[in-house]
Amino acid sequence: MLPQKQAEEAIVPNFSETERDGKEEEKVDEHSMLSVKSLLWHGGSVWDAWFSCASNQVAQVLLTLPYSFSQLGMLSGILLQVFYGIMGSWTAYLISVLYVEYRSRKEKENVSFKNHVIQWFEVLDGLLGPYWKAVGLAFNCTFLLFGSVIQLIACASNIYYINDHLDKRTWTYIFGACCATTVFIPSFHNYRIWSFLGLGMTTYTAWYLTIAAFVHGQKETVTHSAPMKLVLYFTGATNILYTFGGHAVTVEIMHAMWKPQKFKYIYLMATLYVFTLTIPSASAVYWAFGDELLDHSNAFSLLPRNGFRDAAVILMLIHQFITFGFACTPLYFVWEKVIGMHDTRSVCLRAVARLPVVIPIWFLAIIFPFFGPINSAVGALLVSFTVYIIPALAHMLTYRKASARQNAAEKPPFFVPSWTAMYVINAFIVVWVLVVGFGFGGWASVTNFVRQVDTFGLFAKCYQCKAPAPPATAAAAAPHN
């Protein structure tokens, strides 16, 4: 029995340090159940990871999905959500497997991660070498950079529908300063209460959109012409690709868990819940407004202002602040490692060191304030590689040798019969996303993006804002109101 036990220990990662930390956390929880800090601040359970994944997956994209439906049509919109949701869950699973593999190999070498947060590019470096590290670092950081930019754009776009006395560019200045306060949140351990609240906020917003659309009903003149043009179709498809590609922070969320090996199916469970938010809301708003959404990338712009809509806007603003932190935190970690501040325990020193990361994000949000089109461009050019192609290729190359497959820390899941089937699935994802997502999607989204720049210009003061009515028109219309 002893040799068998030793063989099992050689294959299965023990995560001794993480398990020990987890047990210590559990002991602390037992002795301080009423501790506010323990309850709200320091999370690392399976539920914390689930809330983080679900909350991070649906933010401002919830407001642009009806716009995507107006480009795709109802049937394509629903089918592509399910398709890309399942595909995204699969590649998140691959990332978790590669993390476990990397962690198990390093722990056998007695490497400690007590004051070090493992990131995706380090996993690629440890398993496949420095070239893969460079590729992973470039795509991941660029994606997270523009993901943060999108959150700032969305904040300005949303608050404008409550207070239009300031233009969207001015609101971007204000929210850039507000979101800069995320430099004080040390790591994903500290997002427990924010993740919980964030998911509640998006749940409210999704069901508000659904109910408000049905209450509003259809106008007699409403039309549902999509799909009409290939450019619009693939632009909408890449926005949905982006929607279910929110796992650029998967490794950081796993590392924040007390027992990371339990992550395997968490992203799938989060995606199933997200379906209950995205499909009903996007379908209902598209049913109500149809082709009118083609010129309104933010769903709030078409719904009548009332207390329920204002509440949804405010909740989404808070959630976008949280999502900004989710997207920026890995960038903070990378920057800290570059300047040698990652091991510093002082929160204030780390916060000051992180500030240079926020400045370019703030600047880019002012240059490119195109809410819907930038989602599609980021989805096609960055998410396609970061979230789908690179994880699938990395998994195939990591386990290309028989010895690697035999000693793998994680075997294929129960529903995949063999390693060959794993390779077939991964190869299909690489080809599909490379051709459809990056190829056609890149062409369509860049074409649409350039069109927005030509129409509105860089540094647009108020993108897709309603033009003020001329005084005579306003006066003539007054008696009818």
Side-chain angles (χ1 to χ4, degrees):
M1 293 297 292
L2 187 58
Q4 182 181 353
K5 184 177 180 181
Q6 289 174 342
E8 289 174 354
E9 289 177 350
I11 295 174
V12 180
N14 53 30
F15 295 110
S16 55
E17 184 180 307
T18 309
E19 297 258 4
R20 184 168 60 253
D21 291 344
K23 290 176 182 177
E24 288 174 0
E25 291 291 345
E26 289 168 2
K27 288 179 182 178
V28 170
D29 288 343
E30 289 173 3
H31 290 90
S32 57
M33 290 298 290
L34 299 178
S35 168
V36 174
K37 183 177 179 180
S38 176
L39 180 64
L40 305 181
W41 183 248
H42 204 83
S45 68
V46 170
W47 281 106
D48 288 313
W50 184 85
F51 277 115
S52 293
C53 289
S55 177
N56 186 49
Q57 197 172 127
V58 281
Q60 93 298 333
V61 177
L62 192 67
L63 307 176
T64 63
L65 283 174
Y67 168 69
S68 297
F69 271 47
S70 71
Q71 298 168 320
L72 292 163
M74 186 77 77
L75 180 61
S76 289
I78 294 172
L79 291 178
L80 284 174
Q81 279 201 48
V82 174
F83 177 69
Y84 282 128
I86 293 171
M87 186 183 290
S89 299
W90 175 259
T91 53
Y93 168 78
L94 297 181
I95 292 173
S96 72
V97 167
L98 293 173
Y99 171 90
V100 170
E101 183 69 39
Y102 170 77
R103 185 76 181 260
S104 64
R105 292 184 186 182
K106 288 298 180 182
E107 290 207 343
K108 288 174 186 176
E109 299 171 6
N110 296 319
V111 176
S112 173
F113 297 105
K114 187 173 183 180
N115 294 318
H116 182 91
V117 176
I118 298 173
Q119 294 188 266
W120 176 229
F121 68 90
E122 294 169 317
V123 173
L124 292 173
D125 184 27
L127 297 178
L128 297 173
Y131 292 110
W132 277 86
K133 172 186 176 180
V135 171
L137 185 62
F139 275 104
N140 214 45
C141 287
T142 310
F143 168 43
L144 291 170
L145 177 75
F146 279 97
S148 304
V149 168
I150 289 169
Q151 301 311 317
L152 281 189
I153 297 170
C155 285
S157 178
N158 289 344
I159 192 63
Y160 183 79
Y161 298 119
I162 289 182
N163 186 337
D164 59 3
H165 296 297
L166 298 177
D167 58 77
K168 291 182 182 179
R169 188 169 65 193
T170 303
W171 280 119
T172 304
Y173 293 140
I174 294 169
F175 278 99
C178 294
C179 289
T181 59
T182 58
V183 297
F184 289 100
I185 302 176
S187 73
F188 282 98
H189 275 299
N190 312 115
Y191 275 96
R192 164 175 278 183
I193 187 62
W194 294 114
S195 298
F196 176 77
L197 292 176
L199 190 59
M201 293 166 187
T202 49
T203 299
Y204 171 89
T205 303
W207 286 107
Y208 157 74
L209 292 174
T210 305
I211 295 169
F214 282 123
V215 170
H216 178 276
Q218 289 183 322
K219 295 180 181 178
E220 291 182 3
T221 56
V222 70
T223 55
H224 300 84
S225 306
M228 293 183 291
K229 299 178 181 178
L230 282 177
V231 169
L232 294 178
Y233 187 87
F234 285 108
T235 300
T238 50
N239 189 39
I240 294 180
L241 181 83
Y242 172 83
T243 303
F244 295 98
H247 43 286
V249 295
T250 298
V251 171
E252 288 83 0
I253 292 173
M254 283 188 71
H255 191 82
M257 292 178 68
W258 300 327
K259 297 180 180 180
Q261 64 271 36
K262 290 188 175 182
F263 184 87
K264 288 187 222 176
Y265 305 116
I266 287 176
Y267 198 88
L268 175 61
M269 297 299 105
T271 299
L272 293 177
Y273 179 78
V274 167
F275 282 154
T276 69
L277 306 181
T278 58
I279 294 175
S281 61
S283 302
V285 175
Y286 177 57
W287 169 83
F289 296 100
D291 293 347
E292 196 175 353
L293 284 159
L294 289 169
D295 298 317
H296 297 81
S297 55
N298 189 326
F300 282 145
S301 63
L302 290 174
L303 292 166
R305 182 173 179 181
N306 53 41
F308 293 109
R309 195 196 74 165
D310 287 355
V313 171
I314 292 168
L315 291 177
M316 283 303 292
L317 285 171
I318 299 170
H319 185 260
Q320 279 150 359
F321 166 83
I322 298 167
T323 308
F324 181 93
F326 265 107
C328 255
T329 298
L331 293 176
Y332 296 152
F333 292 156
V334 172
W335 179 244
E336 288 170 358
K337 292 170 185 176
V338 168
I339 63 174
M341 293 285 289
H342 189 57
D343 294 332
T344 304
R345 302 188 71 86
S346 170
V347 173
C348 291
L349 280 177
R350 291 178 72 183
V352 172
R354 291 172 169 188
L355 280 175
V357 176
V358 179
I359 295 170
I361 294 170
W362 204 350
F363 188 61
L364 287 169
I366 295 165
I367 298 176
F368 304 113
F370 313 124
F371 188 48
I374 198 171
N375 281 3
S376 299
V378 170
L381 304 179
L382 298 173
V383 175
S384 57
F385 282 93
T386 302
V387 173
Y388 297 96
I389 294 173
I390 292 176
L393 280 176
H395 190 276
M396 294 168 73
L397 292 174
T398 299
Y399 298 108
R400 65 189 182 278
K401 295 181 180 178
S403 58
R405 295 192 294 272
Q406 184 178 356
N407 297 316
E410 292 283 346
K411 303 298 182 184
F414 67 92
F415 53 86
V416 177
S418 65
W419 283 100
T420 302
M422 290 279 288
Y423 268 75
V424 170
I425 295 171
N426 290 341
F428 169 79
I429 290 172
V430 170
V431 173
W432 176 275
V433 177
L434 191 62
V435 174
V436 177
F438 177 73
F440 288 108
W443 160 73
S445 58
V446 170
T447 300
N448 191 34
F449 188 82
V450 170
R451 210 173 273 166
Q452 301 300 314
V453 173
D454 290 341
T455 304
F456 295 94
L458 300 177
F459 298 96
K461 191 173 184 179
C462 211
Y463 173 67
Q464 287 190 345
C465 297
K466 292 181 179 178
T473 305
H480 300 285
N481 290 336

